[in-house]
Structure formats: structure tokens, C-alpha cells
Amino acid sequence: MSTLAILNPATDELIIELPADDAESVAAKAKIARAAQPEWAAVPLAGRKACIARFREGVVRDLEQLALVLTRETGKPIRMARNELNGLLPRIDFFLQEVEAATAPEPMHDDSGMREEIRHEPLGVIANISAWNYPWFVGCNVILPALLTGNAVLYKPSEYATLTGLEIARLLHEAGVPRQVMMALVGTGEVGAALLEQEVDGVFFTGSHATGKRIAETMGKRFVKLQLELGGKDPTYVCEDAEVQAAAESLADGAMYNTGQSCCSVERIYVHEKVHDDFVDRFVDTVKGFRMGDPLREDTYIGAITRAPQLDVLEAQVDDAIAKGASLLVGGERRIGEGNWFDPTVLVHVDHTMEIMREESFGPVVGIMKVRDDEEAVHWMNDTRYGLTAGVFTKDEQRARRILSRVHAGTVYWNCCDRVSPRLPWSGVGDSGVGLTLSKYGIQAFTRAKAWHLRGAG
């Protein structure tokens, strides 16, 4: 039997070795889920909601234990692990509050005995290949609305957050979701590939653009709903009228929170030339105040890099930028020794010939570029193949709206950044993916709209 080794990225310690799935066990689980899904869909919505409400209670009850598991296997600072779990609660509340309205029958027309309506039916069996950086958020954005709308879920958590994925499954089973309806798969990319070979009705993936592209190529021959939540190279523009200190503090947090390992981390900053130097000084001062160290310490802000190979990516981006004329103001190096560590890094005198301004970093590094005016800022913000989030800092709301209306992104921010709301859709354009989660549309994504034409007996 194959196994999956779970390592602590902060110490290189082996946490546990788990039995892993293989092609045979994946196929068996898919057949079980297919057989069980109709019975789950027949459970009244109130019954499915009751299960998810009990799941919420379990998260609250076990929160400290769950945070510890998350920190040990991903290197996420413990207070940020708690933040993720506490932040999940209002998302659960949103799904519970909105699922009935989002999936209710919609009367459309009634004339001369002919009635027309739309009904939302579950897709069937959902394959969910999930991410490690926010496994509770990303996993539950798919799992919970899928279950609430009557689907079965085959859930493959990232191999870098498998223990958390198994905790999600445990709590759902304890809450009353049948094991045959919510099935976790353990393993690496080979297990994910085996999952894609199964008879499923929807594939929901969150992760890198490269993996998303491979999944799209694999599924392109089949008429199956495909949703891809991929990466970003998210820009923010600081106007000359912005509150410079507030912008610097907000954007430093937006760039470095979760050790920069967020798809919506601020990765490019454009600053009007009139306030550029002042902003950079305040930004660097803020970054220098972030404590890096043991993720279990309450005062740690910068944790470990979860995936060791990402250290090479970060190092290469910094080296490329410096070789092409960038100036390094702080950081720029990996820490030698146990674990995966990279110093918080700020670069200036950057331009778009540099990888640091073009390719996703997914780490605590950021480039800051001086611009002349709004027109130049918009030009460089749109000079990317990604389009996840973008932001503007200015005192003028109308100016912010004019700028952001021209920026190609699924989510835009005025005087804030790195923020997600369950009430709003989470989506991207370009190489940031297709489809969406969250909002009422993120609930309906797990249903199929069926058209009903109803004529009474005449």
C-alpha cells in the first residue's frame, strides 16, 4: 500500500505517514458516491442544513485543535490559523441563510393555462481538488454549497493540507453527512488524476495555473462542468492623494499576510511619483516590524513557506530583478537550516521586464514601481495574463471607480485589499480561471437549471 508523508514545513519533522489512495480505491469511492447521491438529494433541505449547522458547531468546539493541525502541516502562524477558522463561520452562516432562496423554484410566466418555471437540481457527483494555503476556506467554498444543494462530493485535499482535509471530512460525518456522500481522497497529483478519470458531473479545482491548464486539457473532451480557481499577480495603485501611512500598512499586510501565500496577495504596487518615496519608507518600516519565526508563537507574523520548491521560485525572481536593475530594500534571501523560510522582501526600481512583476510569487516578496499618473498605472496594472483582484488607494471614490472600471479583474478594492466576502462572487479573468465561488451564484454553481413547461388539463 502506498503512503503519504506529512511534514512540518517549519522544522522538516515527519508528522505522520498516512495510507494513500490509488486508482482502484478512487474508482471504488466514486461508485459509492454515485450510488449514494440520489438518496442524499432526496433529504429535505432542512435536513441537509441541519447537518451543516452541526458541522459549524464542531468547528467551534474543536477550533484550537484544528488550528494546531493546520499550523503544523502548512507552517501558517497559529493566530492566522485561528483567523481562518473563525472567518469560516460567517461563510457557513451565509450558505445556510441563502441556500433556500438561491435554489427556490422561479416562476417565470403564467398565461392561458401555460406556466413556465425554473428549478435548480443538483449536478450529481462533484470532484473537488483543493488547495493548501486556505484549506478551510477553499475546501468549504465548494464542499458546503455542494452538499447543501444535494450533491455527493469526492474531495481530494492538497497533499500539503491533508490532515486538515481529513478533519473537514470527520466533522461533516460526525454532523450527519453520510460517509458515502462526502468522501476524502488521500494522495498526490496521481490521485487527483485518477479522480478526473471517474464519472463525475462537475470538477472544481483551486490551485496553480499550470495544474489548472492540465485539468482543462484532460476534461475538455468530456461535457462536464469545469470550474478553475487559479492564481493571480494582483496589483494595487496608490494615488498621490491617498493616506500614505494607512495605505502602506494595509498593503504591507496585504502582501505579507499568510507569508504571502494567498492567491489574492498584493504582489505588485504602483505608486504615484509624488508620494512614492514617502510610501516606500513607510511600507518598509511596516515590513521590518513583522516577526518571522516559530508558527506556534502568538507573536509570529511570517511563518514557513509550505512547499519547499517555492523557495527556488522566490530566490530566482529576486535574483532576476536585481540583475535587471532593481534595488533590494529588505530581505531577499532564504534562511539556511531546518524548515522552509524566506525573508520578507521589498524591491524598488522594478519594471515589467522582471519576473517579480509578471509571474505569481506566492511568497513574502513584492515589487513597488513609480508611475506618473492614473493612465500609466492602469496600463501596467492590466499588463498581465492574470486578473484576480486589483485595488486603488485614493480619497476620491469617483476616481477609484473610474480606474477600477478599466482594470481587468474579478474583484476590485477601494482603500482596502486582500479581502473576501461570502456575499460577493469570487472569480477571475484570464489565467486566473473560470467560474466562481461564494455569493448566491456560488451556490447555484452546484445546480443545473431545468426549464419546466406546465399546461394544466384542459
Side-chain angles (χ1 to χ4, degrees), residues 19 91 93 127 157 172 227 247 390 394 438 442 447:
R91 295 195 188 193
D93 294 338
L172 285 166
Q227 183 160 300
T394 174
L438 302 176
T447 67

Side-chain angles (χ1 to χ4, degrees), residues 255-318:
M256 305 293 172
Y257 190 87
N258 203 43
T259 318
Q261 298 174 119
S262 304
C263 54
C264 57
S265 288
V266 177
E267 293 207 0
R268 298 179 285 147
I269 302 176
Y270 303 91
V271 185
H272 195 285
E273 59 186 7
K274 291 183 179 179
V275 296
H276 174 270
D277 293 351
D278 186 23
F279 173 86
V280 168
D281 289 343
R282 295 169 188 263
F283 187 92
V284 170
D285 284 345
T286 303
V287 171
K288 286 181 177 178
F290 293 152
R291 185 187 185 282
M292 183 169 73
D294 181 357
L296 291 174
R297 284 186 52 142
E298 295 292 340
D299 59 347
T300 293
Y301 181 89
I302 301 291
I305 299 296
T306 303
R307 296 178 61 255
Q310 196 65 20
L311 294 170
D312 293 334
V313 173
L314 298 173
E315 195 169 58
Q317 287 190 353
V318 172

Side-chain angles (χ1 to χ4, degrees), residues 240-258:
E240 78 281 2
D241 68 338
E243 293 286 352
V244 176
Q245 182 65 35
E249 292 177 356
S250 176
L251 290 174
D253 184 62
M256 305 293 172
Y257 190 87
N258 203 43

Side-chain angles (χ1 to χ4, degrees), residues 325-342:
S327 298
L328 179 66
L329 299 186
V330 64
E333 296 182 343
R334 69 171 81 193
R335 294 284 178 93
I336 304 302
E338 295 180 342
N340 312 325
W341 301 91
F342 202 91

Side-chain angles (χ1 to χ4, degrees), residues 148 236 360 365 369 399 450:
L148 283 167
T236 296
E360 188 172 31
V365 303
M369 182 173 170
R399 180 181 184 183
K450 178 182 282 191

